[in-house]
Short mmCIF file of all heavy atoms in Angstrom, two decimals:
data_model
loop_
_atom_site.label_atom_id
_atom_site.label_comp_id
_atom_site.label_asym_id
_atom_site.label_seq_id
_atom_site.Cartn_x
_atom_site.Cartn_y
_atom_site.Cartn_z
N ALA A 194 -13.34 -7.63 -34.90
CA ALA A 194 -12.17 -7.51 -34.02
C ALA A 194 -12.43 -6.47 -32.95
O ALA A 194 -12.07 -6.68 -31.77
CB ALA A 194 -10.94 -7.13 -34.85
N LYS A 195 -13.04 -5.34 -33.28
CA LYS A 195 -13.34 -4.33 -32.28
C LYS A 195 -14.34 -4.84 -31.27
O LYS A 195 -14.28 -4.50 -30.08
CB LYS A 195 -13.85 -3.06 -32.98
CG LYS A 195 -12.75 -2.34 -33.73
CD LYS A 195 -13.24 -1.05 -34.35
CE LYS A 195 -12.12 -0.38 -35.09
NZ LYS A 195 -12.54 0.92 -35.66
N ASN A 196 -15.29 -5.63 -31.72
CA ASN A 196 -16.27 -6.22 -30.78
C ASN A 196 -15.57 -7.17 -29.79
O ASN A 196 -15.98 -7.23 -28.63
CB ASN A 196 -17.37 -6.97 -31.54
CG ASN A 196 -18.32 -6.02 -32.25
OD1 ASN A 196 -18.46 -4.88 -31.86
ND2 ASN A 196 -18.97 -6.50 -33.27
N TYR A 197 -14.54 -7.86 -30.24
CA TYR A 197 -13.83 -8.75 -29.31
C TYR A 197 -13.12 -7.91 -28.24
O TYR A 197 -13.06 -8.32 -27.09
CB TYR A 197 -12.81 -9.60 -30.06
CG TYR A 197 -13.41 -10.52 -31.09
CD1 TYR A 197 -12.78 -10.76 -32.29
CD2 TYR A 197 -14.63 -11.15 -30.87
CE1 TYR A 197 -13.34 -11.62 -33.25
CE2 TYR A 197 -15.20 -11.98 -31.80
CZ TYR A 197 -14.55 -12.23 -33.00
OH TYR A 197 -15.13 -13.05 -33.92
N GLY A 198 -12.59 -6.76 -28.63
CA GLY A 198 -11.98 -5.89 -27.64
C GLY A 198 -12.96 -5.40 -26.62
O GLY A 198 -12.67 -5.35 -25.41
N ARG A 199 -14.20 -5.05 -27.08
CA ARG A 199 -15.24 -4.65 -26.15
C ARG A 199 -15.62 -5.79 -25.22
O ARG A 199 -15.89 -5.59 -24.02
CB ARG A 199 -16.45 -4.17 -26.92
CG ARG A 199 -16.28 -2.84 -27.59
CD ARG A 199 -17.58 -2.34 -28.20
NE ARG A 199 -17.28 -1.28 -29.14
CZ ARG A 199 -17.32 -1.39 -30.46
NH1 ARG A 199 -17.73 -2.52 -31.00
NH2 ARG A 199 -17.03 -0.38 -31.23
N GLU A 200 -15.64 -6.99 -25.74
CA GLU A 200 -15.97 -8.16 -24.92
C GLU A 200 -14.92 -8.37 -23.83
O GLU A 200 -15.26 -8.60 -22.67
CB GLU A 200 -16.07 -9.39 -25.81
CG GLU A 200 -16.50 -10.66 -25.07
CD GLU A 200 -16.64 -11.86 -26.00
OE1 GLU A 200 -16.68 -11.71 -27.23
OE2 GLU A 200 -16.72 -12.96 -25.46
N VAL A 201 -13.65 -8.24 -24.19
CA VAL A 201 -12.60 -8.40 -23.19
C VAL A 201 -12.71 -7.32 -22.15
O VAL A 201 -12.57 -7.58 -20.94
CB VAL A 201 -11.19 -8.36 -23.86
CG1 VAL A 201 -10.10 -8.31 -22.81
CG2 VAL A 201 -11.02 -9.61 -24.74
N LYS A 202 -12.98 -6.07 -22.54
CA LYS A 202 -13.18 -4.99 -21.58
C LYS A 202 -14.34 -5.33 -20.63
O LYS A 202 -14.26 -5.07 -19.41
CB LYS A 202 -13.49 -3.67 -22.27
CG LYS A 202 -12.29 -3.01 -22.89
CD LYS A 202 -12.70 -1.68 -23.53
CE LYS A 202 -11.59 -1.07 -24.32
NZ LYS A 202 -11.99 0.18 -25.01
N GLY A 203 -15.38 -5.92 -21.16
CA GLY A 203 -16.50 -6.33 -20.32
C GLY A 203 -16.13 -7.35 -19.29
O GLY A 203 -16.58 -7.28 -18.13
N TYR A 204 -15.28 -8.31 -19.66
CA TYR A 204 -14.82 -9.30 -18.71
C TYR A 204 -13.94 -8.68 -17.62
O TYR A 204 -14.00 -9.07 -16.45
CB TYR A 204 -14.03 -10.44 -19.40
CG TYR A 204 -14.92 -11.45 -20.09
CD1 TYR A 204 -14.97 -11.51 -21.49
CD2 TYR A 204 -15.73 -12.29 -19.34
CE1 TYR A 204 -15.79 -12.46 -22.11
CE2 TYR A 204 -16.54 -13.23 -19.96
CZ TYR A 204 -16.57 -13.31 -21.35
OH TYR A 204 -17.37 -14.21 -21.97
N ILE A 205 -13.15 -7.68 -18.01
CA ILE A 205 -12.33 -6.97 -17.01
C ILE A 205 -13.23 -6.29 -15.98
O ILE A 205 -13.04 -6.45 -14.79
CB ILE A 205 -11.39 -5.97 -17.72
CG1 ILE A 205 -10.31 -6.72 -18.51
CG2 ILE A 205 -10.73 -5.02 -16.68
CD1 ILE A 205 -9.47 -5.84 -19.42
N VAL A 206 -14.23 -5.56 -16.46
CA VAL A 206 -15.15 -4.87 -15.56
C VAL A 206 -15.93 -5.85 -14.72
O VAL A 206 -16.09 -5.67 -13.50
CB VAL A 206 -16.10 -3.96 -16.38
CG1 VAL A 206 -17.21 -3.40 -15.51
CG2 VAL A 206 -15.31 -2.83 -17.03
N ALA A 207 -16.45 -6.93 -15.33
CA ALA A 207 -17.20 -7.95 -14.59
C ALA A 207 -16.38 -8.62 -13.50
O ALA A 207 -16.93 -9.09 -12.51
CB ALA A 207 -17.76 -9.01 -15.57
N SER A 208 -15.06 -8.63 -13.70
CA SER A 208 -14.19 -9.23 -12.68
C SER A 208 -13.89 -8.25 -11.56
O SER A 208 -13.15 -8.58 -10.61
CB SER A 208 -12.87 -9.65 -13.33
OG SER A 208 -13.11 -10.67 -14.28
N GLY A 209 -14.43 -7.04 -11.67
CA GLY A 209 -14.20 -6.04 -10.60
C GLY A 209 -12.87 -5.38 -10.71
O GLY A 209 -12.38 -4.82 -9.72
N MET A 210 -12.24 -5.43 -11.88
CA MET A 210 -10.93 -4.85 -12.08
C MET A 210 -11.04 -3.63 -13.02
O MET A 210 -12.03 -3.45 -13.68
CB MET A 210 -9.96 -5.88 -12.62
CG MET A 210 -9.71 -7.03 -11.68
SD MET A 210 -8.58 -8.26 -12.32
CE MET A 210 -7.07 -7.34 -12.30
N THR A 211 -9.97 -2.86 -13.04
CA THR A 211 -9.85 -1.77 -13.97
C THR A 211 -8.75 -2.12 -14.99
O THR A 211 -8.00 -3.05 -14.78
CB THR A 211 -9.44 -0.46 -13.27
OG1 THR A 211 -8.13 -0.65 -12.70
CG2 THR A 211 -10.44 -0.07 -12.20
N LEU A 212 -8.70 -1.37 -16.09
CA LEU A 212 -7.63 -1.59 -17.04
C LEU A 212 -6.26 -1.39 -16.36
O LEU A 212 -5.32 -2.13 -16.61
CB LEU A 212 -7.74 -0.66 -18.23
CG LEU A 212 -8.82 -1.00 -19.26
CD1 LEU A 212 -8.86 0.07 -20.36
CD2 LEU A 212 -8.55 -2.36 -19.90
N THR A 213 -6.19 -0.40 -15.50
CA THR A 213 -4.92 -0.09 -14.82
C THR A 213 -4.49 -1.26 -13.92
O THR A 213 -3.29 -1.66 -13.98
CB THR A 213 -5.07 1.18 -13.96
OG1 THR A 213 -5.48 2.26 -14.82
CG2 THR A 213 -3.75 1.54 -13.30
N SER A 214 -5.39 -1.82 -13.14
CA SER A 214 -5.00 -2.94 -12.30
C SER A 214 -4.70 -4.19 -13.13
O SER A 214 -3.81 -4.95 -12.77
CB SER A 214 -6.09 -3.23 -11.25
OG SER A 214 -7.30 -3.61 -11.87
N THR A 215 -5.42 -4.36 -14.22
CA THR A 215 -5.14 -5.51 -15.10
C THR A 215 -3.77 -5.40 -15.71
O THR A 215 -3.00 -6.37 -15.73
CB THR A 215 -6.22 -5.58 -16.21
OG1 THR A 215 -7.50 -5.67 -15.61
CG2 THR A 215 -5.99 -6.78 -17.12
N VAL A 216 -3.40 -4.21 -16.17
CA VAL A 216 -2.08 -3.98 -16.78
C VAL A 216 -0.99 -4.20 -15.72
O VAL A 216 0.06 -4.79 -16.03
CB VAL A 216 -1.99 -2.59 -17.39
CG1 VAL A 216 -0.55 -2.21 -17.72
CG2 VAL A 216 -2.85 -2.50 -18.63
N ALA A 217 -1.22 -3.76 -14.51
CA ALA A 217 -0.21 -3.95 -13.45
C ALA A 217 0.04 -5.43 -13.20
O ALA A 217 1.20 -5.85 -13.09
CB ALA A 217 -0.69 -3.29 -12.15
N LEU A 218 -0.99 -6.25 -13.19
CA LEU A 218 -0.83 -7.70 -12.99
C LEU A 218 -0.19 -8.34 -14.20
O LEU A 218 0.64 -9.23 -14.07
CB LEU A 218 -2.18 -8.33 -12.67
CG LEU A 218 -2.78 -7.97 -11.32
CD1 LEU A 218 -4.23 -8.49 -11.20
CD2 LEU A 218 -1.92 -8.50 -10.18
N LEU A 219 -0.58 -7.90 -15.41
CA LEU A 219 0.05 -8.45 -16.63
C LEU A 219 1.52 -8.11 -16.69
O LEU A 219 2.35 -8.92 -17.09
CB LEU A 219 -0.68 -7.90 -17.88
CG LEU A 219 -2.07 -8.46 -18.14
CD1 LEU A 219 -2.80 -7.58 -19.16
CD2 LEU A 219 -2.00 -9.90 -18.60
N SER A 220 1.86 -6.92 -16.24
CA SER A 220 3.26 -6.49 -16.21
C SER A 220 4.05 -7.36 -15.24
O SER A 220 5.17 -7.81 -15.54
CB SER A 220 3.33 -5.02 -15.80
OG SER A 220 4.67 -4.61 -15.67
N GLU A 221 3.49 -7.57 -14.06
CA GLU A 221 4.15 -8.35 -13.02
C GLU A 221 4.33 -9.82 -13.42
O GLU A 221 5.43 -10.38 -13.26
CB GLU A 221 3.34 -8.27 -11.72
CG GLU A 221 3.96 -8.95 -10.57
CD GLU A 221 3.08 -8.81 -9.33
OE1 GLU A 221 2.65 -7.69 -9.04
OE2 GLU A 221 2.84 -9.84 -8.66
N LYS A 222 3.28 -10.41 -13.97
CA LYS A 222 3.33 -11.87 -14.26
C LYS A 222 3.92 -12.21 -15.61
O LYS A 222 4.64 -13.20 -15.77
CB LYS A 222 1.92 -12.45 -14.15
CG LYS A 222 1.90 -13.96 -14.29
CD LYS A 222 0.58 -14.57 -13.88
CE LYS A 222 0.65 -16.09 -13.96
NZ LYS A 222 -0.59 -16.71 -13.51
N TYR A 223 3.63 -11.38 -16.63
CA TYR A 223 4.03 -11.72 -18.00
C TYR A 223 5.01 -10.74 -18.64
O TYR A 223 5.37 -10.89 -19.79
CB TYR A 223 2.79 -11.83 -18.88
CG TYR A 223 1.89 -13.01 -18.51
CD1 TYR A 223 0.67 -12.79 -17.88
CD2 TYR A 223 2.30 -14.32 -18.77
CE1 TYR A 223 -0.15 -13.87 -17.56
CE2 TYR A 223 1.50 -15.38 -18.44
CZ TYR A 223 0.27 -15.15 -17.82
OH TYR A 223 -0.51 -16.22 -17.48
N GLY A 224 5.39 -9.70 -17.92
CA GLY A 224 6.37 -8.75 -18.45
C GLY A 224 5.82 -7.76 -19.45
O GLY A 224 6.57 -7.18 -20.22
N TRP A 225 4.51 -7.55 -19.41
CA TRP A 225 3.90 -6.55 -20.29
C TRP A 225 4.39 -5.17 -19.89
O TRP A 225 4.79 -4.91 -18.76
CB TRP A 225 2.38 -6.56 -20.14
CG TRP A 225 1.65 -7.65 -20.82
CD1 TRP A 225 2.00 -8.99 -20.91
CD2 TRP A 225 0.42 -7.55 -21.51
NE1 TRP A 225 1.08 -9.68 -21.60
CE2 TRP A 225 0.06 -8.84 -21.99
CE3 TRP A 225 -0.45 -6.50 -21.76
CZ2 TRP A 225 -1.09 -9.07 -22.69
CZ3 TRP A 225 -1.61 -6.77 -22.48
CH2 TRP A 225 -1.93 -8.03 -22.94
N SER A 226 4.29 -4.23 -20.84
CA SER A 226 4.53 -2.81 -20.52
C SER A 226 3.46 -2.41 -19.50
O SER A 226 2.34 -2.82 -19.56
CB SER A 226 4.36 -1.98 -21.78
OG SER A 226 4.19 -0.62 -21.47
N ASN A 227 3.85 -1.57 -18.53
CA ASN A 227 2.89 -1.15 -17.52
C ASN A 227 2.14 0.12 -17.94
O ASN A 227 1.59 0.80 -17.10
CB ASN A 227 3.56 -1.00 -16.15
CG ASN A 227 4.64 0.03 -16.15
OD1 ASN A 227 4.92 0.66 -17.15
ND2 ASN A 227 5.25 0.23 -15.01
N CYS A 228 2.10 0.36 -19.21
CA CYS A 228 1.39 1.53 -19.78
C CYS A 228 -0.05 1.12 -20.13
O CYS A 228 -0.26 0.33 -21.05
CB CYS A 228 2.12 2.05 -20.98
SG CYS A 228 1.34 3.45 -21.75
N MET A 229 -1.01 1.63 -19.39
CA MET A 229 -2.40 1.27 -19.58
C MET A 229 -2.87 1.61 -21.00
O MET A 229 -3.70 0.91 -21.56
CB MET A 229 -3.27 1.99 -18.54
CG MET A 229 -4.71 1.55 -18.47
SD MET A 229 -5.84 2.38 -19.62
CE MET A 229 -5.69 4.05 -19.14
N GLN A 230 -2.35 2.70 -21.59
CA GLN A 230 -2.76 3.10 -22.94
C GLN A 230 -2.45 2.04 -23.99
O GLN A 230 -3.17 1.93 -24.99
CB GLN A 230 -2.12 4.43 -23.35
CG GLN A 230 -2.65 5.63 -22.59
CD GLN A 230 -2.00 5.81 -21.22
OE1 GLN A 230 -1.12 5.06 -20.80
NE2 GLN A 230 -2.45 6.83 -20.47
N ASN A 231 -1.40 1.23 -23.78
CA ASN A 231 -1.09 0.20 -24.75
C ASN A 231 -2.18 -0.87 -24.79
O ASN A 231 -2.64 -1.25 -25.86
CB ASN A 231 0.25 -0.49 -24.39
CG ASN A 231 1.44 0.37 -24.65
OD1 ASN A 231 1.35 1.40 -25.33
ND2 ASN A 231 2.58 -0.02 -24.12
N LEU A 232 -2.65 -1.32 -23.64
CA LEU A 232 -3.75 -2.31 -23.58
C LEU A 232 -5.03 -1.67 -24.08
O LEU A 232 -5.74 -2.30 -24.90
CB LEU A 232 -3.94 -2.85 -22.18
CG LEU A 232 -5.12 -3.82 -22.00
CD1 LEU A 232 -4.98 -5.04 -22.90
CD2 LEU A 232 -5.27 -4.24 -20.55
N SER A 233 -5.32 -0.49 -23.66
CA SER A 233 -6.55 0.18 -24.08
C SER A 233 -6.60 0.32 -25.60
O SER A 233 -7.62 0.06 -26.23
CB SER A 233 -6.63 1.57 -23.41
OG SER A 233 -7.80 2.22 -23.82
N GLY A 234 -5.46 0.71 -26.20
CA GLY A 234 -5.39 0.86 -27.65
C GLY A 234 -5.59 -0.46 -28.38
O GLY A 234 -6.32 -0.53 -29.38
N LYS A 235 -4.95 -1.51 -27.88
CA LYS A 235 -5.12 -2.84 -28.49
C LYS A 235 -6.56 -3.29 -28.46
O LYS A 235 -7.09 -3.81 -29.44
CB LYS A 235 -4.27 -3.90 -27.76
CG LYS A 235 -2.82 -3.88 -28.05
CD LYS A 235 -2.12 -4.99 -27.30
CE LYS A 235 -0.66 -5.06 -27.60
NZ LYS A 235 -0.04 -6.25 -27.01
N LEU A 236 -7.22 -3.06 -27.34
CA LEU A 236 -8.63 -3.49 -27.21
C LEU A 236 -9.54 -2.61 -28.08
O LEU A 236 -10.46 -3.13 -28.70
CB LEU A 236 -9.06 -3.45 -25.75
CG LEU A 236 -8.34 -4.40 -24.81
CD1 LEU A 236 -8.79 -4.18 -23.36
CD2 LEU A 236 -8.57 -5.85 -25.22
N SER A 237 -9.27 -1.32 -28.13
CA SER A 237 -10.10 -0.42 -28.95
C SER A 237 -9.99 -0.71 -30.43
O SER A 237 -10.95 -0.66 -31.16
CB SER A 237 -9.73 1.04 -28.68
OG SER A 237 -10.03 1.38 -27.37
N ARG A 238 -8.75 -1.01 -30.86
CA ARG A 238 -8.51 -1.30 -32.28
C ARG A 238 -8.84 -2.76 -32.62
O ARG A 238 -8.97 -3.12 -33.80
CB ARG A 238 -7.05 -1.02 -32.63
CG ARG A 238 -6.68 0.44 -32.63
CD ARG A 238 -5.24 0.62 -33.11
NE ARG A 238 -4.28 -0.13 -32.35
CZ ARG A 238 -3.67 0.27 -31.25
NH1 ARG A 238 -3.94 1.45 -30.74
NH2 ARG A 238 -2.77 -0.50 -30.65
N GLY A 239 -8.88 -3.61 -31.62
CA GLY A 239 -9.08 -5.04 -31.86
C GLY A 239 -7.85 -5.69 -32.44
O GLY A 239 -7.94 -6.60 -33.23
N THR A 240 -6.68 -5.21 -32.00
CA THR A 240 -5.41 -5.73 -32.56
C THR A 240 -4.63 -6.58 -31.54
O THR A 240 -3.45 -6.76 -31.69
CB THR A 240 -4.52 -4.56 -33.01
OG1 THR A 240 -4.31 -3.66 -31.93
CG2 THR A 240 -5.13 -3.83 -34.17
#
């Protein structure tokens, strides 16, 4: 599960985006919390 989180982070970086910009777009389109730490934690824990 943690490896999957690292993989997703890799796709974010390969797309030329940051976690912050990704969270901003997720918040705008899907109503996610705009707190970058929430996404970062989910990816780090693999949850």
Side-chain angles (χ1 to χ4, degrees):
K195 289 182 180 183
N196 288 337
Y197 299 142
R199 288 187 196 107
E200 184 178 345
V201 171
K202 284 181 187 178
Y204 282 111
I205 291 170
V206 171
S208 296
M210 296 180 69
T211 64
L212 284 177
T213 304
S214 62
T215 303
V216 167
L218 292 171
L219 288 165
S220 175
E221 183 180 313
K222 186 167 183 177
Y223 293 108
W225 282 41
S226 163
N227 61 0
C228 179
M229 189 274 300
Q230 289 83 0
N231 288 347
L232 176 59
S233 180
K235 283 182 178 188
L236 295 176
S237 294
R238 290 185 305 270
T240 56

